[in-house]
Amino acid sequence: MAQFVLQRAMHASVVLVVVSLLVFCGIYAIGNPVHVLIDPRSSQEVIDQAIRNLGLDRPLWEQYLLFLRNAMEGDLGNSYVHSRPALQVILERLPATLELIFVAMSIAVVAGIPLGLIAGSMGERLPGRALSNLSVLGFSLPTFWVGLTLILIFSIELRWLPSGGRGEVGALLGVRTSLATSDGWKHVLLPAVNLSLFPMALLMRLVRSGVIEQANMDYVRFARAKGLSSTRILIAYIFRNTLIPVVTVMGLVTGGLIAFSVVTESVFAWPGIGKLIVDSIRLLDRPVIVAYILIVVLVFTAINFATDVTYSIIDPRIRLGGANR
Amino acid sequence: MNWKVVFREYSRDITSLLALAALSVALLLAIFASVIAVQDPYDLTALNLMDSRLPPGSIGENGLYHLLGTDDQGRDVASAILYGLRISIGVAVASGAIGIVLGTAVGILAAYLGGWADAVLMRIVDIQLSFPAILNAMILLAVFGTGLLNIIIALVAVQWAYYARTARSAALVELGREYVEAAKSLSFGPMRIMFRHILPNCLGPLLVIAAVELANAIALEASLSFLGTGLRVTEPSLGLLIANGYSLMLSGHYWLTIYPGLALLILVASANLIADGLRRAFISRSAVAVDHG
């Protein structure tokens, strides 16, 4: 067990270093940030001065080593555009994204699990099939398309909800969040629904297939023979046994939403890290791009690591499989 | 593999059949876009500014019937959608074809070789799949720049790992079968065993993934183009049409966004429904296959 954890931890750190190297070299190839950040009409001295200040005059490998050493100390360079530490710029935007993901995930759980239970208990009958086909839409509709449709319906036609922005931000339990004000809730609703469709569809399908799988088990037949109502069997017996994969997938999907929020945030002008990265790519704000990718990679690697370890605790066969197939 | 049985199982669901029909129609429309379209939407001499922003169903100065209206440059939206379909489908199919060849080769090779080669290859796959596709693609496009070729490269890079993982797990199952042992004892070469014996038996799951990935590639390209990090304006896919229309949506020219959006929706949804139908068909087929040994 300890060996497995250690091995996975080593994998994870290798991934981080490789990704940082790839990203750093790759981003260098995007273009020359000098042309983007400095007014080309300014005099040569001003340009040289700026290049020196940004450290762009050193050799590539030296820039990388410097970057790696600083990264260990939590210093990922200054944003060219914001003239502040890149890490700080990202951390400032992070609460908005987390808040969006939190609301989206809550909507997904509250709607997706009951729908999955209903669809599963219907089995192959028409309503079950229909719900299952409907959930395909949740996967297949491009997020930006759904976002635009939501704006078109609820902001432009009905004028019920604002089409973008974060709204008023208040303090809740010492955290500054839009969830503390009614205006903030109005703003978060549309993007959160938009973001929730994918996890909702995923949860629904997962629960549905779990219910169908469990429905033929002996313990279910026994419960039915005892004369328990089908609702009680569904909730107290079957649902419990579908929970393990559901919880695992929820962990992974929550991480995935960080990436999906890129699209949602851009459509709804939500000031989170997703919009930040799109803007940074357009403006070639190298330190922010690198810091963003490293943070997201860190989060993902941590989540994957946790999942691997959890699995190996639940199912020891996983530890033995793999390498020696 | 008994394709007749697969098709019979597939046809049992009406939705799957409708999806197959819809995708076939879209494919035909894309192939014959230049014949069906009332005008070449990117021939600037054919555009008339007097015809700009006509609502759906109106007739322009030059006597053309604009079924879905025109955009701000007097371009026929229906024609633009047909040409957009061509680009969207073309990009997705090209990247899918390269991805499936590359990924399957890697997957079967990893399964056959085993040992450290397998471990290294699958670790690369794991690393790649631990990041969401859109993030991978955006990083690659940020590095290589936008444009048709680069987005195909990015989509291949995103997709190959799914095929590799699927091919490997299918090949691992096949490797344990007796026919592989028989082929080995006849001292057939590894290439022949891998690609003439094992590969045909892995096609089922690969086909399902191919349908899923077709949908994903179309949606991903559209999202990236919409964000402005995908195709260039000179290569107007459905995503770009939607993005262009979006800027005019607030002023009531809804048809510029809605119709390309609907085309994208039908395309992606039908590919996903086909994948669903195939999955069901293959599950019932393998149930049959087990009965016969």
Side-chain angles (χ1 to χ4, degrees), chain A residues 116-132:
Chain A
L117 285 174
I118 293 170
S121 57
M122 294 282 184
E124 288 295 293
R125 273 177 288 159
L126 194 62
R129 274 274 177 91
L131 271 176
S132 158

Side-chain angles (χ1 to χ4, degrees), chain A:
Chain A
M1 184 70 214
Q3 192 198 348
F4 177 82
V5 172
L6 207 67
Q7 187 194 350
R8 283 296 145 120
M10 241 179 64
H11 281 315
S13 40
V14 170
V15 168
L16 281 178
V17 172
V18 170
V19 169
S20 76
L21 191 65
L22 279 179
V23 165
F24 184 83
C25 294
I27 295 300
Y28 205 84
I30 294 184
N32 193 341
V34 175
H35 301 313
V36 180
L37 294 158
I38 306 163
D39 189 348
R41 282 167 300 182
S42 49
S43 70
Q44 193 59 41
E45 288 95 87
V46 176
I47 294 178
D48 288 342
Q49 181 63 41
I51 289 176
R52 260 195 306 282
N53 285 348
L54 297 171
L56 297 169
D57 55 340
R58 314 229 186 105
L60 192 53
W61 61 269
E62 204 176 308
Q63 283 191 46
Y64 175 69
L65 284 183
L66 193 72
F67 158 79
L68 207 60
R69 203 182 64 213
N70 290 338
M72 299 288 179
E73 293 162 4
D75 175 10
L76 292 166
N78 277 327
S79 158
Y80 299 156
V81 176
H82 304 270
S83 307
R84 278 180 298 134
L87 198 61
Q88 189 192 333
V89 173
I90 290 175
L91 291 182
E92 270 170 18
R93 304 281 199 106
L94 197 58
T97 298
L98 292 181
E99 162 187 312
L100 187 60
I101 290 174
F102 172 74
V103 178
M105 222 39 215
S106 309
I107 296 174
V109 168
V110 168
I113 290 180
L115 280 175
L117 285 174
I118 293 170
S121 57
M122 294 282 184
E124 288 295 293
R125 273 177 288 159
L126 194 62
R129 274 274 177 91
L131 271 176
S132 158
N133 282 334
L134 207 63
S135 75
V136 171
L137 288 183
F139 286 121
S140 50
L141 297 184
T143 312
F144 79 94
W145 189 90
V146 178
L148 292 183
T149 312
L150 288 175
I151 291 179
L152 190 65
I153 297 173
F154 293 101
S155 304
I156 298 178
E157 285 301 317
L158 299 173
R159 297 182 185 282
W160 286 354
L161 295 164
S163 67
R166 197 182 174 193
E168 208 178 306
V169 177
L172 187 72
L173 303 171
V175 185
R176 296 194 59 75
T177 161
S178 330
L179 303 185
T181 66
S182 64
D183 183 52
W185 270 103
K186 271 185 198 160
H187 280 83
V188 83
L189 214 53
L190 279 188
V193 167
N194 187 204
L195 196 58
S196 75
L197 287 185
F198 177 78
M200 191 193 293
L202 195 64
L203 280 178
M204 180 185 145
R205 287 175 77 90
L206 210 62
V207 171
R208 174 178 180 268
S209 60
V211 168
I212 290 175
E213 199 179 295
Q214 300 285 328
N216 291 323
M217 294 282 184
D218 282 342
Y219 72 87
V220 175
R221 290 187 189 170
F222 182 69
R224 199 157 280 142
K226 273 205 307 188
L228 296 181
S229 76
S230 36
T231 323
R232 188 172 153 73
I233 296 176
L234 188 64
I235 292 169
Y237 289 66
I238 296 179
F239 177 53
R240 275 199 185 174
N241 284 299
T242 60
L243 262 182
I244 293 172
V246 167
V247 171
T248 320
V249 167
M250 263 174 59
L252 289 176
V253 166
T254 308
L257 286 189
I258 296 175
F260 283 108
S261 70
V262 168
V263 178
T264 300
E265 287 179 11
S266 297
V267 171
F268 289 93
W270 186 263
I273 56 172
K275 192 171 180 328
L276 178 70
I277 185 68
V278 171
D279 293 343
S280 301
I281 289 178
R282 288 216 190 104
L283 296 168
L284 299 181
D285 193 352
R286 223 194 303 168
V288 175
I289 300 176
V290 173
Y292 171 87
I293 293 170
L294 281 186
I295 288 178
V296 172
V297 169
L298 193 70
V299 170
F300 271 94
T301 320
I303 291 175
N304 287 341
F305 178 67
T307 316
D308 275 352
V309 172
T310 317
Y311 263 146
S312 80
I313 293 170
I314 298 173
D315 187 351
R317 278 172 303 180
I318 305 226
R319 254 179 284 159
L320 303 171
N324 45 2
R325 49 170 158 132

Side-chain angles (χ1 to χ4, degrees), chain B residues 142-190:
Chain B
V143 171
F144 293 121
T146 55
L148 196 62
L149 188 65
N150 288 336
I151 196 152
I152 290 179
I153 293 174
L155 289 178
V156 169
V158 164
Q159 291 178 67
W160 76 276
Y162 291 97
Y163 292 118
R165 177 174 276 186
T166 311
R168 176 182 176 269
S169 61
L172 275 182
V173 174
E174 296 300 322
L175 270 170
R177 296 266 161 92
E178 280 167 354
Y179 73 87
V180 175
E181 203 170 317
K184 276 183 182 163
S185 57
L186 285 169
S187 69
F188 285 159

Side-chain angles (χ1 to χ4, degrees), chain B residues 182-207:
Chain B
K184 276 183 182 163
S185 57
L186 285 169
S187 69
F188 285 159
M191 286 311 241
R192 177 164 180 171
I193 296 177
M194 274 190 280
F195 295 106
R196 292 210 20 214
H197 295 255
I198 296 177
L199 175 62
N201 288 300
C202 301
L203 284 183
L206 281 173
L207 200 62

